[in-house]
Amino acid sequence: RSRPIPKQRFQEEEILRVLKEAGHDPVKLPKRKSGKPGVKADARGRLTLSASIFDKAWERLSAAKEIQYA
């Protein structure tokens, strides 16, 4: 029997999935252009996670170097 993945890891995987679906390489994300919403805002809009849960998952991914800006 396979164990379900932990909730936090699932949230992180969902962020990575939507970044890839949008055509982005998670370790080479484009920097935000002045006055325009960035990749993070786009990913947040594609998911149903609350803002605080999304931000914490994003921070974990960033700290683990799973997402980085080019």
Side-chain angles (χ1 to χ4, degrees), residues 12-45:
E12 295 162 5
E13 294 285 345
E14 285 294 282
I15 290 173
L16 293 171
R17 180 183 61 79
V18 298
L19 288 172
K20 289 173 187 167
E21 280 180 1
H24 299 294
D25 179 345
V27 292
K28 292 183 187 156
L29 296 175
K31 289 191 174 23
R32 190 171 151 250
K33 291 182 176 61
S34 181
K36 299 206 170 151
V39 180
K40 185 175 178 180
D42 180 49
R44 183 184 283 131

Side-chain angles (χ1 to χ4, degrees), residues 15 56 68:
I15 290 173
K56 287 175 186 167
Q68 298 176 28

